[in-house]
Each structure stands twice: as C-alpha cells, then as structure tokens.
Amino acid sequence: QVQLVESGGGLVQPGGSLRLSCAASGSIFSIPAMGWYRQAPAKQRELVAVITSGADTNYKDSVKGRFTISRDNAKNTVYLQMNSLKPEDTAVYYCHADVMSILGRTTRYWGQGTQVTVSS
C-alpha cells in the first residue's frame, strides 16, 4: 500500500503565498507522475499541475506564472508553490501519485486533501 500525506494549506490574503507538500510512502518502485488537483464547493475536481519523474510539467492555464510544481524524487515528495493567490484559488487541494509497483502495475493514489482559503 501507498500513503500520501499533505501539508501546507491554510488561510492567506489575496496576493499572498502558500507552499503545499505531499510525501508518498509505502510499496513504491517508481512514481512516473505526481500532481495536484483542487475542488471548490459545488465544482468538479480540476487538474492544477502535474510533474513527471523527468521534471516535465503541465499547468492549468489560470495558474501559469503564479504556481510552480516541483518534486524531490529521493524523498518521493511533490511541492506546489503558490504565489499571487486569488480568491478563486480557494479550494481543497489534493495531491496524487501515479505509483508503479515492482510488478509494473501503475496505480493512482490520493492525498487526504488540504484546504486553501484566499480571503481578506
């Protein structure tokens, strides 16, 4: 089994910054991709950013230039640096890890979610 533990959410004023972290542990051979989704009240979960083990990244258009995703492969940890936060960024943020087992099977695991609230 694999566990993902998130940290770093909270309340911040518009224009402020937060850094989210998500550490994976358990039966891991490799993690081809890790990323972040978010879900605001009454809205569908949406992709925010994803990063491969080779550091290729992809971002939701509305966060480009403000958010930066990175990962530490040695620690199986992914980060999301969020700058210039806006009220519309308010949501529960979920990390995911696409974990490959030693048998070659890839399974997506999710973190527990962390609340990010942008408000004055």
Side-chain angles (χ1 to χ4, degrees):
Q1 269 292 1
V2 174
Q3 297 79 39
L4 301 184
V5 178
E6 301 179 27
S7 61
L11 173 64
V12 64
Q13 293 186 341
S17 298
L18 283 174
R19 188 190 194 213
L20 306 182
S21 300
C22 173
S25 63
S27 301
I28 298 171
F29 178 71
S30 68
I31 309 179
M34 302 183 80
W36 294 91
Y37 281 69
R38 68 186 182 189
Q39 187 167 19
K43 292 189 176 181
Q44 289 189 331
R45 189 175 295 191
E46 59 182 10
L47 176 67
V48 176
V50 63
I51 185 168
T52 68
S53 56
D56 292 324
T57 59
N58 190 34
Y59 294 92
K60 177 181 175 59
D61 284 346
S62 64
V63 308
K64 287 179 180 178
R66 300 189 297 123
F67 291 11
T68 302
I69 190 170
S70 60
R71 63 186 283 176
D72 184 332
N73 291 329
K75 297 181 179 179
N76 291 329
T77 299
V78 63
Y79 307 96
L80 186 67
Q81 178 66 44
M82 304 184 293
N83 299 329
S84 302
L85 282 161
K86 304 176 180 180
E88 52 263 43
D89 295 318
T90 295
V92 178
Y93 284 68
Y94 298 91
C95 71
H96 78 82
D98 296 336
V99 177
M100 181 177 290
S101 72
I102 197 169
L103 298 178
R105 175 184 298 174
T106 300
T107 303
R108 174 163 290 188
Y109 294 90
W110 293 93
Q112 78 279 12
T114 187
Q115 177 70 47
V116 171
T117 302
V118 185
S119 175
S120 56

